[in-house]
Amino acid sequence: MNTSPSTAPSGAEQLAQGFALHVEQWLRRQGCDGALIDTLRHAAQAVSLATSDGHACVALTDVVASMAHATGVDAMRSALRGSGVVGTPAAPGSLPLILDGQDRLYLHRYFNYEQRLARRLMRAATAPPCAVSEVARTQLNALFEANAQRTGGAADWQKLAAALALRQRLTVISGGPGTGKTTTVVNLLACLIAQDPGCRIVLAAPTGKAAARMLEALRARAEHLPPDIRERLPTASFTIHRLLGLTPSGGFEHHAANALAIDALVVDEASMLDLSLATQLLEAVPDTARIILLGDKDQLSAVESGAVFSDLSADPGLGSACRQDLADWCGLNVERITPPAASQPSALHDTTVWFNQNFRFAADSGIGRLAADINRSRADEAIAWLREGEDDSVRWLDDSGTAPGEPTLRELASGYAAYLEAVRHDPTDHAAIASAFDTFRVLCAVREGPRGVVGINELMTRQAREHLGLAPVAARDGASAWYPGRPVMVLRNDPLLKLFNGDVGIALPAADGDGGSADELMVWFAQAGGGFRAVSPVRLPAHQTAYAMTVHKAQGSEFDDVLVLLPAQRSAVVTRELLYTAVTRARQRVTIASGADVLKTAINSPTVRHGGLLSRLADAT
């Protein structure tokens, strides 16, 4: 990609240019002609940029379309295959690029991830059904008995999902917030424990916040379990990096050759798993263990490359033998078990359940209705309904200015008023302050600009310091920016400090025993088991102020009240999945600040992620 002299290339562009140069040098050593070198250099740069944008690969048609000099796909394919630097799925070798049979061009590393992940998934999916004891079946029917009145004799998909996870080595459960995933998992774990009291169950999630929420939710929904089973439920949850044992060099202690000592792995917020992390996690799970992945196929995919969960949950089909087993165990007529049609054909069979009934938001509730309209691309209906303003749980501020307008600024100020008052009232009451902070959040679609994360955090910093009676500072995020009540989000994993990307802490005065005087600030992080721990600001890994965060960063979190701030102009990053994810972070109330055109475009713009995991799954059968 060419850049004008006045525009510095981004980090992704620099990486792409460096990789293209590497390929060019390889070709020159082979004595290739200039035309071939130009073609391969362009293709190499294109695939590198695609992975930076979240794709696992790039389509040859897109590479050809982006070239200044027209060439056909056939000519491009022939050039790549004859270049000596492009491998095939059957013979990848150690070549830097791979071209598959569907004209997808990969960096070798990402093709390797897809292939390894597909093989691990198919081993789990095609393993013989697990033995399920009579004790487990009895527990299954007892725990889901209360659902019978609600279902009225129809299939109880929560119960069926739990039964499927008892039967299979791999189970994928997709559903939005409030569809019963946590309740299902609590009952499933109770069945596993009833069958094997020594069952080694591990809970994990991509972020610390999601891991903590998972454990809290499981505890809250476990009161109905028999005491002897409840006391055997997991008492800790892990970030995936912590579970695998992130080393200072960036590797993991656990991998295919040093598997985790577990019998069942439950991963929440699995839609956040990128291709690399999913591969390394599942390869570290022994073949004898069950894998249960929970997520929402309609949410944003991971920031990094791939759309793993979306691909894995593409086909909820169940074979006849599987349906018969589930029917027998659940006391159902097999004809009542009718899964929905697949969104895409997949080689993964008897693994996936979609939860479509929401118990938190009624279909006609504000948040539930808006989420459904977004998911189904009903932009005109959604905007017309929002204009009416009939539901207090959903508000739309028709704000299309370059900077947020007055109504949006008032919403921002009122959202954090209780938090700032809690800091001012008693800066040593960590629990009250953290609770107040977590009731409201600003979610931005972009990082830069006055409507982005950086601009909103600067604005809120000024307001916070004014509210707390502190002098303003000129520095954006330097040492002088620290003040009581400053919320910060960790941006890089630090295994030594046990801090991970996405963890949020609040700067508050030190307490006795924290290594500082009461006038010194420490950053306080909530711990999964309760309480808070303090870390000195100078020891923090890369971080940023956290009044506002990107929608991506908010995955795995929920807040009572959410303000969604979209950019003034249309943007490729503002998609249906982004808006749906943002809206469903709200438990009670959501406000969208956006111009009508940007909002309509977002609802009508599904995310597209290029990848070949479904093809790799078919190849692995």
Side-chain angles (χ1 to χ4, degrees):
M1 181 179 292
N2 294 326
T3 57
S4 65
S6 60
T7 304
S10 67
E13 289 168 336
Q14 289 176 340
L15 286 173
Q17 291 167 1
F19 177 68
L21 178 60
H22 170 71
V23 170
E24 178 182 341
Q25 291 170 341
W26 191 321
L27 292 166
R28 290 191 185 281
R29 286 195 296 270
Q30 295 181 172
C32 295
D33 63 48
L36 179 62
I37 289 174
D38 288 344
T39 298
L40 267 292
R41 182 174 59 234
H42 182 89
Q45 193 162 341
V47 68
S48 181
L49 285 172
T51 58
S52 297
D53 285 339
H55 304 286
C57 58
V58 66
L60 280 197
T61 51
D62 292 340
V63 177
V64 169
S66 65
M67 295 185 69
H69 302 289
T71 186
V73 171
D74 291 343
M76 172 67 78
R77 186 188 307 115
S78 296
L80 292 172
R81 288 178 174 172
S83 67
V85 299
V86 180
T88 65
S94 57
L95 300 174
L97 297 169
I98 304 293
L99 180 65
D100 77 359
Q102 290 76 42
D103 285 340
R104 302 185 191 97
L105 184 64
Y106 290 84
L107 296 178
H108 187 114
R109 179 170 58 147
Y110 290 96
F111 176 81
N112 180 253
Y113 283 143
E114 276 194 355
Q115 194 172 60
R116 287 162 50 192
L117 179 58
R119 288 170 178 169
R120 177 64 187 94
L121 289 165
M122 291 307 297
R123 284 206 312 274
T126 59
C130 302
V132 181
S133 69
E134 188 62 35
V135 171
R137 297 181 202 178
T138 300
Q139 191 72 256
L140 176 74
N141 285 293
L143 292 174
F144 284 98
E145 186 176 4
N147 281 4
Q149 293 182 348
R150 173 178 55 79
T151 59
D156 177 0
W157 283 102
Q158 291 183 12
K159 185 177 183 180
L160 289 167
L164 184 66
L166 289 173
R167 184 183 192 270
Q168 300 295 122
R169 296 289 181 195
L170 172 67
T171 307
V172 180
I173 302 175
S174 173
T179 54
K181 297 192 298 293
T182 303
T183 299
T184 302
V185 169
V186 167
N187 290 344
L188 165 63
L189 298 188
C191 294
L192 291 174
I193 293 168
Q195 177 168 276
D196 176 11
C199 184
R200 298 167 297 176
I201 300 167
V202 169
L203 310 177
T207 68
K209 188 73 173 179
R213 278 191 56 250
M214 181 187 194
L215 186 62
E216 292 166 5
L218 285 174
R219 287 173 173 169
R221 288 169 174 78
E223 292 301 316
H224 67 292
L225 298 181
D228 60 322
I229 289 181
R230 190 167 62 241
E231 67 185 15
R232 291 182 179 275
L233 288 172
T235 57
S237 56
F238 301 85
T239 64
I240 292 170
H241 289 84
R242 182 181 166 209
L243 175 65
L244 294 179
L246 182 66
T247 64
S249 63
F252 291 117
E253 294 176 4
H254 292 286
H255 40 74
N258 182 31
L260 296 159
I262 61 174
D263 298 309
L265 172 67
V266 181
V267 181
D268 199 11
E269 298 294 344
S271 53
M272 299 169 66
L273 287 173
D274 63 77
L275 187 56
S276 169
L277 189 58
T279 302
Q280 294 176 89
L281 171 63
L282 297 193
E283 283 187 336
V285 178
D287 284 359
T288 54
R290 286 178 174 85
I291 300 166
I292 300 102
L293 303 178
L294 312 172
D296 186 346
K297 62 183 176 59
D298 298 315
Q299 276 192 32
L300 281 168
S301 296
V303 176
E304 304 298 333
S305 295
V308 173
F309 190 80
S310 177
D311 287 340
L312 298 193
S313 56
D315 187 351
L318 302 172
S320 57
C322 181
R323 289 170 62 233
Q324 188 62 61
D325 282 347
L326 300 187
D328 291 344
W329 300 347
C330 297
L332 272 177
N333 185 315
V334 70
E335 300 303 322
R336 292 186 180 272
I337 304 176
T338 54
S343 58
Q344 296 183 76
S346 171
L348 282 180
H349 301 139
D350 299 344
T351 60
T352 300
V353 175
W354 293 352
F355 287 176
N356 292 319
Q357 184 176 0
N358 198 301
F359 304 100
R360 181 182 307 167
F361 307 124
D364 58 352
S365 73
I367 296 174
R369 175 173 174 173
L370 179 58
D373 281 346
I374 293 168
N375 242 347
R376 294 165 186 158
S377 293
R378 297 193 296 235
D380 291 335
E381 294 93 326
I383 291 174
W385 176 67
L386 287 170
R387 285 191 191 281
E388 295 173 0
E390 294 181 352
D391 195 312
D392 290 339
S393 68
V394 176
R395 294 182 63 213
W396 174 38
L397 303 178
D398 191 353
D399 178 357
S400 58
T402 302
E406 282 301 321
T408 304
L409 295 177
R410 286 195 298 270
E411 187 76 17
L412 179 64
S414 64
Y416 280 120
Y419 166 68
L420 295 175
E421 185 56 28
V423 175
R424 191 193 65 77
H425 176 69
D426 183 359
T428 66
D429 192 343
H430 306 130
I433 291 168
S435 176
F437 183 67
D438 278 344
T439 60
F440 175 75
R441 196 70 86 249
V442 183
L443 305 184
C444 300
V446 297
R447 273 192 48 79
E448 304 299 330
R451 301 175 71 96
V453 169
V454 175
I456 297 302
N457 281 330
E458 290 178 348
L459 172 64
M460 271 309 305
T461 295
R462 292 194 296 271
Q463 291 189 10
R465 295 184 71 94
E466 181 179 350
H467 184 96
L468 298 169
L470 303 172
V473 293
R476 172 177 289 185
D477 256 355
S480 62
W482 288 102
Y483 58 91
R486 181 192 178 195
V488 293
M489 174 182 286
V490 174
L491 302 177
R492 189 179 67 238
N493 297 323
D494 188 328
L496 296 178
L497 286 176
K498 294 183 172 57
L499 291 175
F500 299 94
N501 188 358
D503 288 352
V504 173
I506 300 173
L508 295 167
D512 291 343
D514 294 320
S517 68
D519 294 330
E520 183 180 348
L521 293 178
M522 303 289 282
V523 183
W524 296 83
F525 292 88
Q527 300 188 97
F532 294 81
R533 67 185 181 98
V535 178
S536 171
V538 298
R539 298 190 65 200
L540 286 180
H543 56 274
Q544 67 181 27
T545 301
Y547 293 106
M549 62 176 68
T550 62
V551 178
H552 269 291
K553 289 289 188 183
Q555 285 183 272
S557 298
E558 290 180 358
F559 311 98
D560 291 342
D561 195 348
V562 167
L563 170 61
V564 181
L565 189 58
L566 301 184
Q569 304 296 327
R570 298 180 186 182
S571 168
V573 304
V574 185
T575 63
R576 181 180 70 199
E577 288 78 6
L578 179 137
L579 188 58
Y580 168 83
T581 303
V583 165
T584 55
R585 296 312 89 202
R587 297 188 191 97
Q588 299 175 10
R589 184 173 180 266
V590 62
T591 302
I592 299 175
S594 168
D597 183 53
V598 171
L599 182 58
K600 181 176 181 178
T601 301
I603 296 173
N604 287 331
S605 301
T607 300
V608 176
R609 281 280 177 98
H610 294 299
L613 182 56
L614 290 172
S615 293
R616 305 288 85 76
L617 289 167
D619 293 343
T621 54

